[in-house]
Amino acid sequence: MSYMEGMQRIDESLMKRVLSLRESYEYKRYGKADVARALKMQRVDIEGLRALLSPAAGDFLEEMAARAQSDMKRYFGNSIELFTPLYISNFCDSNCVYCGFSSHNKISRLRLKIDEVKTELENIAKSGLKDVLILTGESAKKRDLSYIGEACKEASRLFSNVGVEIYPLNSDEYTYLHECGVDYVIVFQETYSPEKYAQVHIGGQKMSFAYRFNAQERALMGGMRSVGFAALLGLDDFRKDAFATAIHANFIQQKYPHAEIAISCPRLRPAKNKSEVNAGEVDERSLFQVICAYRIFLPFANITISTRESAKFRNGIIKVAASKISAGVSVGVGTHSDAGKKGDEQFEIDDTRGVNEIYTDIRALNLQPVMSNHIYV
Amino acid sequence: MMDINDDFLELSGHKFSSRFILGSGKFSLSLLEAAIKDAKAQIVTLALRRVNDGGSENILDFIPKDITILPNTSGARNADEAVRIAKLARELGCGDFVKVECIKDSRYLLPDNYETIKATEKLANLGFVVMPYMYPDLNVARDLVNAGAACVMPLGAPIGTNKGLATREFIKILIDEIDLPVIVDAGIGSPSQACEAMQMGCAAVMANTAIATSGDVRAMAKAFALSIEAGRLAYLAGLGEVSEIARASSPLSGFLE
């Protein structure tokens, strides 16, 4: 939980509230009547969310899907946004036991030079995508921030929406990235259990639970427009982690009403030298339940579905609850160009469809793929 | 009786025979053109952030050339951002119309009236035909008139809810007091609700979600067009008074004579 040198401390009352609510969430107490009551609520409250994430709601998937779909239509109509992640470096100072980039994992490491980043961005832009998410490992050396900033400047010339999923920063550093053209910041908390967090994050700056937890708030303080949240489902009790993710996002939106809120729903996946890593009890039905609960509780939030999931699951979930989908994805480094050297992947993906294929599939579902949905002002 | 063919919606000197403004944000683009046609709409809004200039599936390519484009400033959280987006829209060739949306709340998408007034004033001074989306407040509407708005666009209900005229009484006050077209924008979920707004004296209705998410987009677009026309005709005809009090055949005050 402790902070390291140079980490900005902000008020922790929101974090304490989330952790205390997570702690007191006993999902086995909820029965069918509670789920039925939640689904009838015009605006589902925290108690309703608890019911929707309980095992009892597993028998209500169809009803939850219908409600989620109706809520999503209200805010998003037929639109499904497309984006792609671009990994520019897989160097990492943190040791996270489940991750392919972990500092102790022997993989091929690569940090693209800025001209290589530019080439990769140009190649991605040729696909028609207008939304790009820049990713790195958790290598927080100071020289890296200006490097990431330069990469984001290049991205903002070609893309209408640029996001980052990098190590957490102080608010002034977020301001710097915002000035480089970045408008959204995604930080996965991985797990909201401080105990489990300490067990799986055993080296590097990522060990600080609190600094990571408050990253979205610091990003908004730094002028970012949109922030994304996620628990890595399968690391700990997925119901409690999904619950914490949703209320964390909810409280941040209440505190910063202008903020656009996004949620990702990643499940653990195997990675190089980590073939044993998996999502455990979080099967597709459970994941479906979680995503529907997210949508019903936060109908206005952008919900992103990752290539960790199969094409079949992704096609199914964008009809119901997910409003944003990645396409043409590679989670390695240097893979969008002819660069000789490649950096290994962070995890194994499932859906390998290219942009055109996903685009066509979305249209076949009578949905509207949307490339551009943002203006940087 | 007034001939409906001589009845026009006027916005800063621009005349429109259709009183149905179609939103485009929630449509499948393949249906948009047909919906515009079936709705007989002459004004179509579009979010500038959705314009994929030079890219594939650019929403602008799906709007017929004879349609007046009403770019909105969605994404703007304050007046300055709204002005920047409006200028960008003009540069992209969207014309001089602009629908001001200043929204600082991502949950309900309620307009910020204070920022809307500021944006309206700045944009009117730049020669835009400004159509501000607002929360129906008479004092704000008066300020918008003074700021140079071409109309006022009060919400009927929170956007996307299809709940109809939840703000009916406040919109009526605007119709009675404001000397500009009052166009209901947001919340209209069915043709009957659109019809009621027109009967009340609204100058036009804007709708998007109700049509885009209906079972048959084209049929619903047409239903809205017909109901808006019917409501307008009823308003022009002058609705008969609804009375709860029986009219006595001998006047009750007759003994005074």
Side-chain angles (χ1 to χ4, degrees), chain A residues 106-134:
Chain A
K106 286 194 168 46
I107 58 166
S108 163
R109 304 275 174 181
L110 183 64
R111 180 177 184 267
L112 296 177
K113 296 180 180 71
I114 287 296
D115 61 331
E116 292 171 328
V117 172
K118 205 171 152 187
T119 306
E120 298 254 319
L121 286 164
E122 283 163 357
N123 287 340
I124 292 169
K126 282 178 195 158
S127 69
L129 288 167
K130 290 283 184 176
D131 183 330
V132 71
L133 177 66
I134 305 289

Side-chain angles (χ1 to χ4, degrees), chain B residues 98-117:
Chain B
V98 66
K99 181 184 162 204
V100 171
E101 291 185 13
C102 287
I103 294 173
K104 285 200 290 215
D105 170 74
S106 68
R107 187 175 296 243
Y108 302 103
L109 307 175
L110 292 171
D112 180 322
N113 279 346
Y114 174 72
E115 292 293 330
T116 301
I117 296 163

Side-chain angles (χ1 to χ4, degrees), chain A residues 78-90:
Chain A
N78 287 327
S79 303
I80 303 292
E81 287 179 40
L82 278 83
F83 80 105
T84 209
L86 172 61
Y87 286 75
I88 58 173
S89 167
N90 63 0

Side-chain angles (χ1 to χ4, degrees), chain A residues 42-43 74-75 77-79 130 225 250 253 257-259 300 359 363 366 368 370 372-375 377, chain B residues 25-26 28-29 48-52 57 75 77 81 84-85 104-108 160 163 212-213:
Chain A
Q42 191 185 328
R43 224 192 110 205
R74 219 175 86 196
Y75 277 88
N78 287 327
S79 303
K130 290 283 184 176
R225 178 178 289 261
N250 179 57
Q253 196 280 333
H258 68 274
F300 51 87
Y359 199 99
R363 286 184 66 158
N366 288 324
Q368 179 58 48
V370 171
S372 175
N373 199 25
H374 190 74
I375 298 178
V377 280
Chain B
K26 291 174 176 163
S28 292
L29 291 178
L48 195 73
R49 61 198 168 90
R50 286 285 294 274
V51 174
N52 190 5
E57 297 266 297
R77 292 166 296 188
E81 290 181 358
R84 276 211 291 281
I85 293 172
K104 285 200 290 215
D105 170 74
S106 68
R107 187 175 296 243
Y108 302 103
K163 289 194 173 181
T213 61

Side-chain angles (χ1 to χ4, degrees), chain A residues 227-243:
Chain A
V227 285
F229 303 78
L232 186 48
L233 303 171
L235 260 189
D236 195 62
D237 186 324
F238 79 90
R239 296 180 197 278
K240 286 192 164 209
D241 270 346
F243 173 69

Side-chain angles (χ1 to χ4, degrees), chain B residues 11-61:
Chain B
L11 297 164
S12 300
H14 301 262
K15 282 186 168 186
F16 301 92
S17 56
S18 161
R19 293 176 176 271
F20 184 6
I21 299 173
L22 190 66
S24 64
K26 291 174 176 163
F27 275 91
S28 292
L29 291 178
S30 53
L31 287 169
L32 184 57
E33 200 168 350
I36 293 168
K37 207 166 139 217
D38 288 307
K40 293 189 190 146
Q42 294 168 318
I43 304 175
V44 174
T45 74
L46 82 112
L48 195 73
R49 61 198 168 90
R50 286 285 294 274
V51 174
N52 190 5
D53 194 34
S56 62
E57 297 266 297
N58 184 2
I59 192 165
L60 276 172
D61 300 336

